[in-house]
Amino acid sequence: MVSEHAQDLVYSRANSNPDDFWGMHAKNVHWHKTPEKIIEKSKKTLKGGVSHDHWTWFPGGEISTTFNCVDRHVRDGKGSNIAIYWDSPVTGAKEQFTYNQLLQEVETLAGVLREEGVKQGDVVLIYMPMISAAIFAMLAIARLGAIHAVVFGGFAPAALAQRIEASRPKAIMTASCGIEGSKGPSGYKKMIEEAVERSTFKPYKTIIWQRDELRWDPVLKENGQRNWQRLVKSARNRGLKADAVSVKSEDGLYIIYTSGTTGLPKGVVRTAGGHAVGLNFSIKHLFGVHGPGDVMFTASDIGWVVGHSYIVYAPLLIGAATVLFEGKPVGTPDASTFWRIVEEYKVTTMFTAPTALRAIRREDGENTFFEKTYGARGGLKSLRALFLAGERSEPSIVEMYQRLLKRHCADGALVVDNWWSSESGSPISGVALSATAGEDFATQQRARPLPIKPGSAGKAMPGFDVQVVDDEGHPVERGQMGNMVMSIPLAPTAFTTLWGDEDRFYKSYLKRFHGRWVDTGDAGMIDKDGYSKPVSIMSRSDDILNVAAHRFSTGAMEQAITSHPNVAEAAVVGIPDQLKGHLPFAFITLSTHQHPDAAVPDEKVSKEVQKLVRDQIGAIASLGGMIQGKGMIPKTRSGKTLRRVLRELIENATHGQLDKEVAVPSTIEDKEAVEVARAKVKEYFRLKGKDLHKPAEARARAKL
Ligand code: AMP
């Protein structure tokens, strides 16, 4: 009999006996008051009379997340360990903080906030660049038992106003400017003032961290504006500090607004108890990060859930060091930055989005920096794993980095795709690096991670019962595409409601499957061969193309296209077609040093790409056209491809409306990309004229 792998054993133990499992892991954090129960199930009834399942993790317990992230380590004699390495290539500055220093910063800032009127249960909005003060702010707010809502610094005033309106923050903590890549400082004063102006709710205070690169001038006291550094200085002189306040397990630690690729942002609430226990478990089990001596570098932003969990809370919960990076994968100053950071801080575990690796591949197609500079001199030996999430990782990028890690990083180093969302708070699926963390039955053999399958995001994580169902909610066979859903209750890190909107929680996540399942909004499959619960997240449900009544995932097509050695990136959208409803249409960026100017790829590339799609997906999915260009694939700031924008450009073009405005979400990373894409679409349509679909249509007709 083949013995089950430790990851499977841990998974089934968690799901068959959650009380024992999570009860054991709850002991790894400090409780001000021990929970009375591990999980409690109940019902919630909405205004219209609909009632649905609700659950509470660790009821009766009281906890302080900040105490667990900071004070606990100092109390345990680990105060001189490094907590934060701040590295900012955009300003040329670096800083580091031990846990002792972090405690001083956080208790003083919490004292300031209390003096400024912040109390337990209040919301404080954070709109900050990637500087250490942003982490102090999160921890200081949590120290008072207040709730933070971090909004990505750089969001336009309209988007910020929406979030102020929705979260009704007592105060805003911000900075005088952010610095985006090599673009130089951009002032936050105008953004904040305009957002507050637009919102009907007015925060009482705005606390401003002054940066030398661009100051907020003048600080208007009558508008509730305060100079952060001055307040802290005065508090220090007076010895003002605040102790950690504990909150109920089910109280909110923070609100995070989902990235909003679809609809209005939703305020996901993270509860204090479940979050601490679940994250403390996940960083050990999945990430293999255990505490002092480990250095985690999560190249994301604190505005996103990946940043909340794996820049800030998880590494600090277990007393490891975290790298806070203010820069970009390329251009600050070049594509070597990530590898420089790994070498300089002896990073053991890295986490980023595949889009960052694609950007590096575009700039440094030969991986010269990784191999010839840092790898060759042994600078990357500390790295044990490269975690990827936020969007689908195409196998070509996973395989490429897997080869690089094998040659230049720690023995057995792995690239691990993991799937999750703001709602889940920690990965829903992945391959656990330390499968036996905290368990007692492990043998070395079983503890070796499960094999990685490029293109798959691993197996479901403890606490998440993932299923694939059809539109009626019936489970589909293994290997079939469907809706990815989860059964109730979700794992402890996950949400249980939306901020102040139980109705929307029900409508957005439960109603579709009549309260039986939580809808993840993702489509995908669980494959057949030996993995009990592997999930391959292929696409968001709204990125499914319907071609002649066959459903195709745009992600699967992009996967086929990017397996071409010269294609760095691809985005596939549907183009209207009289015969088939839609045909797939590809936007591609080549990995050549000198990108060709023409919007239409040369015949060789066209044929090769078309063949890959036909071979890997099927002739029926043949592309209805292809545009090549650099810097034309728009993305959200969290790295998700905005296919909708490209689709609108293409649809408008087919109706001759080449200049028609397209709706661009405020989350877009670079608006310029939309205009580059528009210019390419124009050129393409000019060249191809009205005969654009002739070949594809002719082929399809021949088959009917
Ligand atoms: P957000 O809430 O902004 O973090 O976005 C969550 C969404 O990102 C998920 O619902 C997926 O659509 C997508 N996503 C995250 N991780 C992955 C992954 N590893 N593979 C595919 N899609 C992913």
Side-chain angles (χ1 to χ4, degrees), residues 275 475 552 611 651:
H275 174 257
F552 291 105
K611 184 168 181 321
E651 274 175 7

Side-chain angles (χ1 to χ4, degrees), residues 261-531:
T261 31
T262 47
L264 273 178
K266 305 183 191 106
V268 165
V269 184
R270 191 82 54 228
T271 55
H275 174 257
V277 176
L279 264 197
N280 189 74
F281 165 74
S282 117
I283 193 165
K284 291 185 194 161
H285 176 72
L286 175 60
F287 292 84
V289 175
H290 291 264
D294 287 328
V295 182
M296 181 133 196
F297 169 31
T298 300
S300 176
D301 191 283
I302 50 153
W304 312 124
V305 68
V306 171
H308 277 68
S309 291
Y310 297 101
I311 296 175
V312 185
Y313 285 114
L316 298 182
L317 272 169
I318 53 154
T322 185
V323 179
L324 180 72
F325 170 66
E326 189 183 31
K328 296 266 178 191
V330 298
T332 60
D334 54 34
S336 72
T337 310
F338 278 8
W339 320 128
R340 194 255 311 156
I341 293 218
V342 171
E343 179 179 76
E344 195 166 331
Y345 303 105
K346 298 200 171 32
V347 170
T348 53
T349 312
M350 228 189 116
F351 193 173
T352 192
T355 183
L357 300 184
R358 286 186 211 119
I360 293 174
R361 182 165 66 178
R362 266 199 309 269
E363 296 287 303
D364 181 22
E366 305 287 307
N367 292 309
T368 318
F369 289 125
F370 195 110
E371 301 225 83
K372 304 243 162 68
T373 316
Y374 295 95
R377 65 182 186 223
L380 307 175
K381 279 279 169 236
S382 58
L383 193 66
R384 299 195 299 254
L386 172 58
F387 283 83
L388 299 176
E391 52 165 345
R392 196 185 45 79
S393 285
E394 61 275 26
S396 58
I397 207 124
V398 174
E399 281 158 1
M400 183 174 101
Y401 275 94
Q402 190 54 69
R403 278 195 300 277
L404 291 171
L405 260 63
K406 189 157 185 228
R407 257 184 255 141
H408 300 288
C409 300
D411 282 347
L414 290 179
V415 179
V416 185
D417 184 358
N418 55 110
W419 163 58
W420 52 302
S421 61
S422 305
E423 289 86 344
S424 72
S426 66
I428 302 170
S429 77
V431 165
L433 281 203
S434 191
T436 53
E439 304 287 331
D440 47 17
F441 50 69
T443 65
Q444 283 307 311
Q445 173 61 25
R446 282 165 164 183
R448 213 179 288 145
L450 284 165
I452 300 288
K453 290 195 197 182
S456 152
K459 293 189 177 194
M461 284 285 113
F464 290 111
D465 173 31
V466 183
Q467 303 286 335
V468 185
V469 300
D470 62 19
D471 289 345
E472 272 71 56
H474 303 306
V476 303
E477 264 177 51
R478 284 279 150 85
Q480 296 291 312
M481 282 278 277
N483 306 295
M484 310 290 309
V485 297
M486 300 183 283
S487 61
I488 290 173
L490 303 178
T493 56
F495 72 156
T496 56
T497 189
L498 291 178
W499 183 245
D501 204 345
E502 191 66 29
D503 235 41
R504 192 162 179 216
F505 173 72
Y506 175 76
K507 284 194 185 122
S508 311
Y509 301 99
L510 292 173
K511 189 170 175 218
R512 181 168 176 209
F513 298 109
H514 313 291
R516 168 79 183 86
W517 307 109
V518 177
D519 185 7
T520 65
D522 284 315
M525 64 167 90
I526 295 181
D527 81 8
K528 290 179 189 157
D529 56 3
Y531 280 53

Side-chain angles (χ1 to χ4, degrees), residues 588-650:
I588 60 172
T589 303
L590 302 183
S591 53
T592 42
H593 237 47
Q594 289 264 297
H595 203 284
D597 283 336
V600 181
D602 67 33
E603 217 182 316
K604 184 166 175 287
V605 172
S606 300
K607 279 200 173 138
E608 287 168 354
V609 168
Q610 188 68 280
K611 184 168 181 321
L612 287 169
V613 175
R614 291 169 69 91
D615 289 352
Q616 293 182 31
I617 313 284
I620 190 153
S622 295
L623 297 173
M626 210 182 301
I627 288 181
Q628 71 181 6
K630 199 178 172 193
M632 67 170 175
I633 300 180
K635 310 227 173 51
T636 63
R637 291 181 182 275
S638 58
K640 294 183 211 315
T641 304
L642 284 164
R643 297 196 187 83
R644 184 185 53 71
V645 172
L646 293 175
R647 192 186 66 224
E648 275 184 41
L649 284 174
I650 281 286

